[in-house]
Amino acid sequence: MLLTLSTTHQPASDLGYLLHKHPARFQSFELSFGKAHVFYPEVVTESCVACLLLEVDSVGMVRGKTAHRGFSLAQYVNDRPYAASSFMSVAIAQVFGSALGGRCEARPDLVGTSLPLAARLDVLPVRGGLQLLHRMFGPLGYEIEATQTSLDDRFPEWGDSPYYSLSICKTTTLRDLLAHLYVLIPVFDNQKHYFVGEQELEKLLAKGDGWLPDHPEREEIARRYLKFRPSLVRSALARLAEVDDSVIAEDGETDRPGEAVEALFEKPLGLNEQRIGAVLAALRATDAKRVLDLGCGEGKLLRELLPDRRFDRIVGLDVSMQVLQRAAQKLGYDRLPSQQKERIQLLHGSLMYRDDRLRDFDAALVVEVIEHLDPPRLKAFERVLFEYARPRTILLTTPNREYNGIWESLPADSFRHPDHRFEWTRAQFQDWALAIAQRYSYRVRFLPIGPEDQNVGSPTQMGVFDRDPTKA
Ligand code: SAH
């Protein structure tokens, strides 16, 4: 198991100072689970490469323990000697302890200096695939290169293994790079070799200091790092939230698979807030009092509507019971005074079926929902909303596909969210909207949401539909 660290920073010997390991020496260290060796295969003027090689003694580790545990072949035959796992994190902490702790007596000035750094892990088990690698390292600003290893080159039909060879690079401090690796290696592996207790929580918070509270995947990181121990994960999130209040508002929103992919690109633009702002502004410009939020998800919009007394009936509907439960939690529904409870209701239902409960509303909000519907079933949705529920105003948003090109790290032809069935260009959305407006006697206009690019428009597009007053 090998970790390779390299830099093109000059002089190359600075990396040796920071790692506290002399470039000319081959050094070995005894660890509780085997041996670690540090050596420098390359030290030239233009670059310096340092390796941390781990030899895990999987037999030695179980010796003497089998009597009370019983025999298990997996204790002897497993991937631990070859795959980068929490052993690697332990080795980083023990062998590169001062670098990880941000200490360098000989050259303290180097600790806070950003250097062009690269790290390579040759066999990294990743439960969650390439996408997870991007979700974790992407928000930290790394360039990522990863190749998946096949199970056996001789039998291509067996497919790929869960192992990746990963290179990441960024101009950053060595301390930060090591802290990211220390926390994230076991997160990918999702398997830790030692008991996860309070101490692990402290380590996570210490090594996550300065970056984890702002990471859009902090909840997933905490959950995986702490091996799904709910009580520890809860404490971790609460403690992360103490550092930054916004974490509370958003925690859990990354829970739906893939949402973070969206967050990764959209978050820096504050697109979510802009979308909510634009929808609320358009809604307030009407005199709607009874409002539907269709596909309400975890209730981000509902939480904004509730304090505004002009809305006297607010209904959120979603097909997922799980997100409705989260919406109720986040609204603090159980603790609402009875007057408030009467104004708001959460309904379990599908936009594919006519539903009497959706009638008699002034406005319906359909925010980032249609792209989750299968195109052949879009017709059913159109009739449910425009023909049957028929509110006076409909505010409907969806991604503008043309904008995706602006996000260079979003692979071409991929969507912002794995659950999206389509993403439309502005022309496609407008054709669709104009056709249904005509069919169901609405008027529609279009508004951009988010920063507008001259050529490709804005990241989100909104259609504002007003029912033709002569055709109720
Ligand atoms: N409007 C929310 C959530 C958008 S995600 C927001 O802006 O944050 C899309 C939501 O649509 C999900 O919560 C999903 O459960 C819901 N959804 C998908 N298909 C649906 C259907 N057929 N009927 C109702 N809701 C649906």
Side-chain angles (χ1 to χ4, degrees):
M1 179 191 325
L2 185 66
L3 166 68
T4 309
L5 298 169
S6 56
T7 182
T8 49
H9 168 79
Q10 293 175 15
S13 53
D14 280 356
L15 186 63
Y17 280 114
L18 274 169
L19 289 173
H20 220 263
K21 302 285 171 287
H22 197 289
R25 287 175 56 198
F26 181 106
Q27 285 177 272
S28 298
F29 306 85
E30 290 290 338
L31 305 175
S32 61
F33 48 82
K35 281 199 176 107
H37 311 282
V38 178
F39 54 94
Y40 292 72
E42 185 177 306
V43 186
V44 292
T45 321
E46 314 80 57
S47 75
C48 179
V49 181
C51 287
L52 171 62
L53 176 71
L54 271 194
E55 280 184 283
V56 172
D57 178 5
S58 52
V59 175
M61 277 191 305
V62 292
R63 200 171 287 144
K65 295 184 184 161
T66 44
H68 55 274
R69 281 216 196 141
F71 176 81
S72 155
L73 192 59
Q75 288 177 342
Y76 293 90
V77 185
N78 56 47
D79 69 357
R80 298 299 90 176
Y82 320 105
S85 64
S86 48
F87 289 123
M88 183 55 95
S89 293
V90 174
I92 290 174
Q94 296 194 351
V95 178
F96 297 143
S98 31
L100 182 62
R103 292 183 305 277
C104 181
E105 271 162 33
R107 295 282 309 279
D109 55 302
L110 282 176
V111 170
T113 308
S114 287
L115 314 171
L117 289 171
R120 182 183 166 89
L121 287 160
D122 286 287
V123 187
L124 179 68
V126 182
R127 278 182 40 196
L130 191 58
Q131 203 194 52
L132 188 70
L133 288 170
H134 281 272
R135 276 163 53 199
M136 295 298 167
F137 284 113
L140 297 170
Y142 285 94
E143 270 178 49
I144 303 159
E145 242 182 65
T147 356
Q148 198 168 7
T149 319
S150 59
L151 270 177
D152 190 325
D153 288 343
R154 289 168 304 164
F155 302 100
E157 65 277 15
W158 289 0
D160 286 329
S161 74
Y163 301 105
Y164 282 79
S165 139
L166 171 75
S167 298
I168 53 170
C169 60
K170 184 187 172 188
T171 298
T172 183
T173 62
L174 182 65
R175 185 214 162 259
D176 281 354
L177 172 71
L178 292 177
H180 296 154
L181 290 170
Y182 176 93
V183 170
L184 294 177
I185 289 172
V187 162
F188 295 119
D189 185 28
N190 223 351
Q191 203 184 96
K192 292 194 94 189
H193 71 275
Y194 46 83
F195 176 66
V196 175
E198 288 293 336
Q199 260 188 337
E200 280 309 299
L201 172 57
E202 298 308 324
K203 285 185 199 162
L204 175 68
L205 294 171
K207 304 294 188 294
D209 189 29
W211 62 276
L212 191 54
D214 296 324
H215 197 294
E217 293 288 350
R218 59 196 164 255
E219 191 172 342
E220 179 79 4
I221 293 171
R223 211 191 342 255
R224 283 174 168 245
Y225 186 94
L226 299 169
K227 265 206 104 174
F228 302 94
R229 291 266 308 266
S231 60
L232 285 179
V233 175
R234 268 197 304 276
S235 328
L237 293 174
R239 303 253 311 261
L240 287 169
E242 277 166 22
V243 184
D244 173 3
D245 277 350
S246 68
V247 178
I248 299 178
E250 286 193 8
D251 87 45
E253 256 135 44
T254 52
D255 222 16
R256 294 208 315 270
E259 183 159 42
V261 178
E262 222 170 16
L264 180 67
F265 299 107
E266 298 195 344
K267 195 159 186 178
L269 301 179
L271 191 56
N272 194 26
E273 292 72 25
Q274 294 197 44
R275 194 154 45 219
I276 291 174
V279 170
L280 287 174
L283 177 66
R284 287 184 178 127
T286 71
D287 55 0
K289 294 189 181 341
R290 293 160 300 169
V291 183
L292 283 170
D293 182 4
L294 303 176
C296 63
E298 293 171 358
K300 280 182 254 174
L301 263 167
L302 297 173
R303 271 176 276 157
E304 301 292 326
L305 295 172
L306 190 61
D308 189 335
R309 309 298 303 187
R310 86 182 76 187
F311 305 120
D312 52 29
R313 180 151 165 64
I314 304 163
V315 167
L317 171 124
D318 205 284
V319 75
S320 158
M321 200 62 201
Q322 206 183 346
V323 299
L324 284 175
Q325 276 162 357
R326 294 195 76 114
Q329 260 170 20
K330 292 187 167 196
L331 279 163
Y333 184 83
D334 290 340
R335 297 185 303 278
L336 286 179
S338 56
Q339 255 181 333
Q340 296 281 67
K341 268 191 187 151
E342 278 164 26
R343 287 173 58 226
I344 188 159
Q345 199 181 7
L346 295 172
L347 297 179
H348 189 212
S350 167
L351 290 168
M352 295 298 154
Y353 302 98
R354 291 199 320 195
D355 191 333
D356 284 336
R357 298 173 299 176
L358 306 185
R359 299 187 81 154
D360 297 323
F361 282 84
D362 303 318
L365 316 176
V366 194
V367 177
E368 304 297 280
V369 174
I370 58 167
E371 62 277 8
H372 292 264
L373 308 178
D374 280 325
R377 310 195 66 190
L378 213 49
K379 283 262 166 324
F381 158 77
E382 292 162 22
R383 296 196 60 189
V384 166
L385 179 58
F386 289 85
E387 183 182 307
Y388 200 71
R390 216 165 163 66
R392 212 170 55 223
T393 304
I394 296 171
L395 304 175
L396 188 145
T397 78
T398 194
N400 163 21
R401 180 180 195 150
E402 292 164 83
Y403 198 88
N404 291 0
I406 300 258
W407 291 308
E408 282 169 8
S409 52
L410 182 68
D413 291 329
S414 69
F415 295 145
R416 298 179 196 179
H417 190 298
D419 190 47
H420 284 180
R421 309 303 154 94
F422 59 86
E423 283 175 3
W424 280 337
T425 61
R426 285 168 294 174
Q428 284 171 315
F429 177 55
Q430 292 180 13
D431 284 350
W432 172 81
L434 286 163
I436 49 171
Q438 196 186 21
R439 192 169 318 135
Y440 299 106
S441 308
Y442 277 79
R443 246 175 258 137
V444 62
R445 60 207 156 83
F446 301 96
L447 296 175
I449 301 179
E452 242 186 313
D453 178 89
Q454 233 184 350
N455 300 316
V456 298
S458 62
T460 302
Q461 41 189 344
M462 173 158 70
V464 179
F465 296 82
D466 292 303
R467 198 175 64 201
D468 181 342
T470 62
K471 302 206 171 115

